[in-house]
Amino acid sequence: MATKKSGTRGLGSAAAAGAAFAAGALTIAAAYQHWQGVHAARAQRLEIQRARLTDYQRLQLRLLDKAMDDPQLAAVMSTIETTSPAERRQFLFANALYVNAVFGYRIGVADLDELRGHLRILVRNTVFRAYWEATRPHRASLREDTEEGRVGQMVDSLIRDLDESDTDEWWVVGEPPG
């Protein structure tokens, strides 16, 4: 009889261990499901934000297109003092190129290094530089700790680095972003 009791006692310990293991596995499964739900909700919010940004960008480009086609509308859209309607159109287009590059970065189409490379090409253009200088007062109120403020500082830095460079190899000028 003693063997039967110890066998039953051993079976009880095994059952308790099995129940504890099952409870642990269920707890892990429940935690994983919760994590998946939180992750899915976050991904959905990001996707909604990206869709809103895309819609906003499309609207901005439509408005810009109208302004570039009509000098009277361009005068409303752009508060920059220019010497001619042609220069205003060039500045509007420079703005569109800049905003498009930043938008690509914001929605994840380009990373910071790719944005920097694109902007490095833009700042070589004399019309873009004139636009950038003309819009300096517009950027004066940007906080430095915002994404737009940091990108503006990057452009300023690229221009400064290119101006101070003693090489014709413009594609290697400047420090990569940190």
Side-chain angles (χ1 to χ4, degrees):
M1 282 262 205
T3 20
K4 277 190 175 178
K5 282 187 178 180
S6 67
T8 306
R9 197 176 292 149
L11 185 59
S13 297
F21 178 77
L26 288 174
T27 301
I28 289 171
Y32 180 71
Q33 279 184 328
H34 174 73
W35 177 84
Q36 273 187 319
V38 168
H39 181 70
R42 185 178 306 140
Q44 186 178 21
R45 281 192 309 274
L46 288 173
E47 190 57 39
I48 289 169
Q49 181 182 11
R50 180 179 283 177
R52 287 179 179 161
L53 278 170
T54 302
D55 289 344
Y56 177 78
Q57 181 72 10
R58 280 189 189 119
L59 176 61
Q60 287 299 105
L61 289 174
R62 260 190 253 128
L63 292 170
L64 183 63
D65 192 38
K66 286 179 181 268
M68 288 179 62
D69 287 343
D70 185 338
Q72 292 175 336
L73 295 179
V76 174
M77 185 169 220
S78 175
T79 59
I80 303 167
E81 293 298 320
T82 59
T83 58
S84 69
E87 185 180 50
R88 184 178 306 275
R89 288 181 74 195
Q90 288 177 327
F91 282 9
L92 287 170
F93 192 73
N95 175 261
L97 291 173
Y98 172 72
V99 168
N100 188 59
V102 174
F103 176 69
Y105 168 68
R106 288 185 73 195
I107 65 167
V109 172
D111 64 19
L112 193 57
D113 287 333
E114 291 167 323
L115 173 62
R116 183 176 178 275
H118 187 76
L119 294 174
R120 187 185 307 186
I121 292 167
L122 275 180
V123 301
R124 292 191 65 236
N125 183 285
T126 56
V127 174
F128 182 84
R129 283 197 183 206
Y131 153 78
W132 195 253
E133 188 56 38
T135 57
R136 185 168 301 286
H138 294 87
R139 292 186 306 282
S141 63
L142 291 177
R143 290 189 1 229
E144 293 178 7
D145 63 339
T146 64
E147 187 174 61
E148 194 173 353
R150 286 189 298 271
V151 173
Q153 290 172 3
M154 182 191 308
V155 173
D156 289 339
S157 177
L158 284 167
I159 290 171
R160 194 172 38 256
D161 290 347
L162 284 169
D163 287 348
E164 294 172 356
S165 172
D166 58 355
T167 180
D168 289 335
E169 296 175 343
W170 58 268
W171 56 92
V172 296
V173 171
E175 293 296 316

